[in-house]
Amino acid sequence: MTKNRVVDWALAEYMAFGSFLKEGIHVRLSGQDVERGTFSHRHHVLHDQEVDKRTCVPMNHLWEQQAPYTVCNSSLSEYGVLGFELGFAMASPNALVCWEAQFGDFHNTAQCIIDQFISSGQAKWVRHNGIVLLLPHGMEGMGPEHSSARPERFLQMSNDDSDAYPFSEQFEVSQLYECNWIVVNCSTPANYFHVLRRQILLPFRKPLIILTPKSLLRHPEAKSSFDEMVSGTTFQRVIPENGPAAHAPHEVKRVIFCTGKVYYDLVKERKNQDLEKQVAITRLEQISPFPFDLLKEELEKYPDADLVWCQEEHKNSGYYDYVKPRFRTIVNHTRPIWYVGREPAAAAATGNKNTHLVSLRRFLDTAFNLEAFEGKT
């Protein structure tokens, strides 16, 4: 990959961590199976096959004057471990401290740490904390306990005002300074690299919630070029459409806004239906605080298009309830933002693979049916 100047997810993470170690910044990663990575993608600890318990962490042998990299598999107590890592991050504000859930679903066992300390710690005790939560998330037919990191819970607890229209010169950074935490769902390895680096480079600390991928770890399209990671590049809060639709915006019939893995399903379906000129797809990478400024530019670029929010989660989960009033604020309630995705459901996902595929097919059909919302108010 380095010969071809591309990175996948694991290499982008390795580069973010490695760049910090070179700069003297301690990186710590703990959680269930993090040394290998739950999905066998990380391999940060090498084991001697001849000598029992003899291991090597190559990232600790990169430079003579480097910071230490601590990577440790934890016990299966999310509550205890996340509480410990939160304390570690509070005591070491200049270290990158990451806790990774084996699946994002499992953070609910540590819900009281999240509710009482992470989301509201600064408001209660005026203490900044830069802990990073890595929560594998994505609807892949794996059933209700291995599909959803429940992003709606983190969004509901965000102090971002849905009706405020607060534009200023320093909007991007002042938003980050005012918020209680940052919620992102990156669709490219380069953006993941940048958001990890931004976490330490900011002049203040905020908790960072990252909905991380599972199938995208090995997806052939989910790769980034070195050109997106070199000096002068930064984290993109929104990745706008940059294909044929963007070059003739007045011909665009529909703009689909989405976040995370569903983007790759949508792009594939759009190509299959030959709708690359009529449908634009824009990715929301930082969901909270909400990028009002960048989305306003996107909405104004496509004045005649239907606006659709598409998500793979069920309607009462995911992001729709959070993004809808904010989109409406941007357009001053003059244009609707239609929902496309799975129906409301009590469980986070179906346990039946066929049901999963049928519901995916159904919402992809709706997403590209340009008459779907005609005559509706």
Side-chain angles (χ1 to χ4, degrees), residues 49-62:
Q49 290 189 292
E50 306 293 326
V51 184
D52 189 37
K53 295 190 179 167
R54 183 163 175 252
T55 61
C56 170
V57 179
M59 228 191 290
N60 277 321
H61 306 279
L62 296 174

Side-chain angles (χ1 to χ4, degrees), residues 10 17 69 95 133 156 161 166 202 233 246 282-283 295 312 356 363:
F17 288 180
Y69 174 48
L133 270 59
Q156 188 203 11
D161 187 348
L202 283 170
T233 59
T282 290
R283 286 170 271 178
L295 289 170
E312 54 177 5
H356 165 78
F363 83 71

Side-chain angles (χ1 to χ4, degrees), residues 7 16 25 32 75 78 90 96 171 183 200 216 220 229 237 271 299 311 347 356:
V7 297
I25 291 158
Q32 297 160 20
S75 70
E78 291 83 7
M90 191 166 278
L96 181 71
F171 179 67
V183 182
I200 290 293
L216 291 193
M229 298 162 71
R237 292 174 293 149
K271 191 164 192 256
L299 292 167
Q311 63 179 39
H356 165 78

Side-chain angles (χ1 to χ4, degrees), residues 166-193:
F167 289 108
S168 64
E169 295 270 310
Q170 301 291 318
F171 179 67
E172 180 177 358
V173 75
S174 64
Q175 245 197 339
L176 292 173
Y177 184 71
E178 301 293 340
C179 76
N180 61 319
W181 58 18
I182 302 160
V183 182
V184 302
N185 188 353
C186 301
S187 63
T188 69
N191 236 14
Y192 178 52
F193 165 86

Side-chain angles (χ1 to χ4, degrees), residues 146-283:
H146 297 84
S147 294
S148 175
R150 292 285 188 186
E152 64 277 6
R153 294 185 182 171
F154 294 100
L155 296 174
Q156 188 203 11
M157 288 190 281
S158 295
N159 65 359
D160 183 46
D161 187 348
S162 61
D163 303 316
Y165 210 95
F167 289 108
S168 64
E169 295 270 310
Q170 301 291 318
F171 179 67
E172 180 177 358
V173 75
S174 64
Q175 245 197 339
L176 292 173
Y177 184 71
E178 301 293 340
C179 76
N180 61 319
W181 58 18
I182 302 160
V183 182
V184 302
N185 188 353
C186 301
S187 63
T188 69
N191 236 14
Y192 178 52
F193 165 86
H194 282 303
V195 83
L196 288 173
R197 287 192 43 83
R198 183 181 76 169
Q199 189 64 0
I200 290 293
L201 296 172
L202 283 170
F204 48 82
R205 294 288 170 261
K206 297 284 174 174
L208 173 63
I209 316 299
I210 309 183
L211 303 164
T212 58
K214 294 172 287 184
S215 61
L216 291 193
L217 295 171
R218 293 179 177 79
H219 195 293
E221 303 295 316
K223 298 260 167 65
S224 295
S225 154
F226 281 13
D227 298 335
E228 297 165 67
M229 298 162 71
V230 292
S231 299
T233 59
T234 55
F235 174 69
Q236 292 181 272
R237 292 174 293 149
V238 169
I239 302 181
E241 170 64 52
N242 60 2
H247 305 309
H250 283 275
E251 292 173 29
V252 172
K253 302 273 195 298
R254 176 168 297 173
V255 187
I256 299 176
F257 295 92
C258 65
T259 185
K261 168 183 91 68
V262 74
Y263 168 75
Y264 293 94
D265 295 322
L266 289 166
V267 166
K268 185 178 171 191
E269 184 64 25
R270 177 175 66 175
K271 191 164 192 256
N272 289 347
Q273 296 204 24
D274 196 21
L275 288 169
E276 283 164 319
K277 286 186 175 167
Q278 288 126 297
V279 180
I281 304 174
T282 290
R283 286 170 271 178

Side-chain angles (χ1 to χ4, degrees), residues 82-140:
L82 183 56
F84 179 83
E85 299 305 331
L86 180 77
F88 199 107
M90 191 166 278
S92 312
N94 292 321
L96 181 71
V97 180
C98 306
W99 174 75
E100 183 173 74
Q102 191 153 36
F103 284 84
D105 315 55
F106 305 164
H107 79 251
N108 62 359
T109 315
Q111 196 72 51
C112 52
I113 297 291
I114 292 166
D115 292 351
Q116 273 143 280
F117 294 91
I118 301 180
S119 84
S120 54
Q122 188 186 341
K124 288 176 181 174
W125 303 295
V126 205
R127 289 298 300 268
H128 280 218
N129 198 303
I131 191 165
V132 179
L133 270 59
L134 302 172
L135 305 176
H137 171 84
M139 313 296 267
E140 285 154 355

